[in-house]
mmCIF file of all heavy atoms in Angstrom:
data_model
loop_
_atom_site.group_PDB
_atom_site.id
_atom_site.type_symbol
_atom_site.label_atom_id
_atom_site.label_comp_id
_atom_site.label_asym_id
_atom_site.label_seq_id
_atom_site.Cartn_x
_atom_site.Cartn_y
_atom_site.Cartn_z
ATOM 1 N N SER Q 462 122.055 -91.641 245.546
ATOM 2 C CA SER Q 462 123.417 -91.277 245.939
ATOM 3 C C SER Q 462 123.472 -89.870 246.520
ATOM 4 O O SER Q 462 122.800 -88.950 246.038
ATOM 5 C CB SER Q 462 124.355 -91.361 244.732
ATOM 6 O OG SER Q 462 125.626 -90.831 245.032
ATOM 7 N N ILE Q 463 124.307 -89.708 247.537
ATOM 8 C CA ILE Q 463 124.512 -88.377 248.125
ATOM 9 C C ILE Q 463 125.353 -87.495 247.205
ATOM 10 O O ILE Q 463 125.428 -86.276 247.420
ATOM 11 C CB ILE Q 463 125.185 -88.476 249.505
ATOM 12 C CG1 ILE Q 463 126.569 -89.117 249.384
ATOM 13 C CG2 ILE Q 463 124.314 -89.241 250.482
ATOM 14 C CD1 ILE Q 463 127.356 -89.124 250.686
ATOM 15 N N ASN Q 464 125.974 -88.067 246.192
ATOM 16 C CA ASN Q 464 126.807 -87.295 245.274
ATOM 17 C C ASN Q 464 126.085 -86.955 243.972
ATOM 18 O O ASN Q 464 126.664 -86.330 243.085
ATOM 19 C CB ASN Q 464 128.088 -88.065 244.945
ATOM 20 C CG ASN Q 464 128.936 -88.307 246.181
ATOM 21 O OD1 ASN Q 464 129.162 -87.391 246.960
ATOM 22 N ND2 ASN Q 464 129.391 -89.544 246.369
ATOM 23 N N SER Q 465 124.828 -87.361 243.867
ATOM 24 C CA SER Q 465 124.082 -87.130 242.628
ATOM 25 C C SER Q 465 123.221 -85.879 242.748
ATOM 26 O O SER Q 465 122.417 -85.752 243.675
ATOM 27 C CB SER Q 465 123.184 -88.332 242.319
ATOM 28 O OG SER Q 465 122.326 -88.041 241.234
ATOM 29 N N ASN Q 466 123.400 -84.962 241.773
ATOM 30 C CA ASN Q 466 122.529 -83.782 241.726
ATOM 31 C C ASN Q 466 121.431 -83.938 240.679
ATOM 32 O O ASN Q 466 120.779 -82.963 240.303
ATOM 33 C CB ASN Q 466 123.343 -82.516 241.453
ATOM 34 C CG ASN Q 466 124.094 -82.580 240.133
ATOM 35 O OD1 ASN Q 466 123.986 -83.568 239.395
ATOM 36 N ND2 ASN Q 466 124.850 -81.536 239.828
ATOM 37 N N PHE Q 467 121.230 -85.162 240.200
ATOM 38 C CA PHE Q 467 120.111 -85.423 239.297
ATOM 39 C C PHE Q 467 118.799 -85.294 240.074
ATOM 40 O O PHE Q 467 118.784 -85.247 241.305
ATOM 41 C CB PHE Q 467 120.218 -86.826 238.689
ATOM 42 C CG PHE Q 467 121.387 -86.990 237.756
ATOM 43 C CD1 PHE Q 467 121.820 -88.254 237.394
ATOM 44 C CD2 PHE Q 467 122.058 -85.898 237.246
ATOM 45 C CE1 PHE Q 467 122.889 -88.425 236.540
ATOM 46 C CE2 PHE Q 467 123.137 -86.041 236.392
ATOM 47 C CZ PHE Q 467 123.559 -87.311 236.038
ATOM 48 N N ASP Q 468 117.700 -85.272 239.336
ATOM 49 C CA ASP Q 468 116.403 -85.096 239.981
ATOM 50 C C ASP Q 468 116.135 -86.148 241.048
ATOM 51 O O ASP Q 468 115.541 -85.855 242.092
ATOM 52 C CB ASP Q 468 115.277 -85.127 238.934
ATOM 53 C CG ASP Q 468 115.209 -83.842 238.132
ATOM 54 O OD1 ASP Q 468 115.911 -82.889 238.502
ATOM 55 O OD2 ASP Q 468 114.453 -83.795 237.140
ATOM 56 N N ASP Q 469 116.560 -87.402 240.793
ATOM 57 C CA ASP Q 469 116.259 -88.471 241.745
ATOM 58 C C ASP Q 469 117.387 -88.704 242.744
ATOM 59 O O ASP Q 469 117.335 -89.631 243.550
ATOM 60 C CB ASP Q 469 115.952 -89.777 241.007
ATOM 61 C CG ASP Q 469 117.152 -90.294 240.214
ATOM 62 O OD1 ASP Q 469 118.151 -89.546 240.084
ATOM 63 O OD2 ASP Q 469 117.094 -91.440 239.730
ATOM 64 N N GLY Q 470 118.419 -87.843 242.727
ATOM 65 C CA GLY Q 470 119.539 -87.995 243.649
ATOM 66 C C GLY Q 470 119.210 -87.485 245.040
ATOM 67 O O GLY Q 470 118.195 -86.814 245.276
ATOM 68 N N TYR Q 471 120.121 -87.759 245.969
ATOM 69 C CA TYR Q 471 119.926 -87.368 247.373
ATOM 70 C C TYR Q 471 120.956 -86.344 247.848
ATOM 71 O O TYR Q 471 121.150 -86.165 249.042
ATOM 72 C CB TYR Q 471 120.013 -88.609 248.268
ATOM 73 C CG TYR Q 471 118.713 -89.364 248.424
ATOM 74 C CD1 TYR Q 471 117.607 -89.102 247.623
ATOM 75 C CD2 TYR Q 471 118.583 -90.354 249.392
ATOM 76 C CE1 TYR Q 471 116.426 -89.800 247.766
ATOM 77 C CE2 TYR Q 471 117.401 -91.068 249.549
ATOM 78 C CZ TYR Q 471 116.325 -90.782 248.733
ATOM 79 O OH TYR Q 471 115.159 -91.479 248.886
ATOM 80 N N GLN Q 472 121.588 -85.666 246.917
ATOM 81 C CA GLN Q 472 122.621 -84.718 247.317
ATOM 82 C C GLN Q 472 122.061 -83.572 248.147
ATOM 83 O O GLN Q 472 122.654 -83.154 249.140
ATOM 84 C CB GLN Q 472 123.322 -84.150 246.076
ATOM 85 C CG GLN Q 472 124.459 -83.190 246.392
ATOM 86 C CD GLN Q 472 125.038 -82.549 245.144
ATOM 87 O OE1 GLN Q 472 124.396 -81.722 244.511
ATOM 88 N NE2 GLN Q 472 126.235 -82.969 244.771
ATOM 89 N N ARG Q 473 120.894 -83.101 247.764
ATOM 90 C CA ARG Q 473 120.376 -81.879 248.361
ATOM 91 C C ARG Q 473 120.119 -82.035 249.858
ATOM 92 O O ARG Q 473 120.558 -81.213 250.651
ATOM 93 C CB ARG Q 473 119.090 -81.457 247.647
ATOM 94 C CG ARG Q 473 118.649 -80.047 247.994
ATOM 95 C CD ARG Q 473 117.473 -79.603 247.149
ATOM 96 N NE ARG Q 473 117.278 -78.169 247.265
ATOM 97 C CZ ARG Q 473 116.261 -77.513 246.739
ATOM 98 N NH1 ARG Q 473 115.345 -78.172 246.046
ATOM 99 N NH2 ARG Q 473 116.151 -76.215 246.888
#
Side-chain angles (χ1 to χ4, degrees):
S462 171
I463 62 174
N464 298 313
S465 172
N466 60 2
F467 293 164
D468 285 351
D469 64 350
Y471 274 12
Q472 182 186 70
R473 193 173 194 186

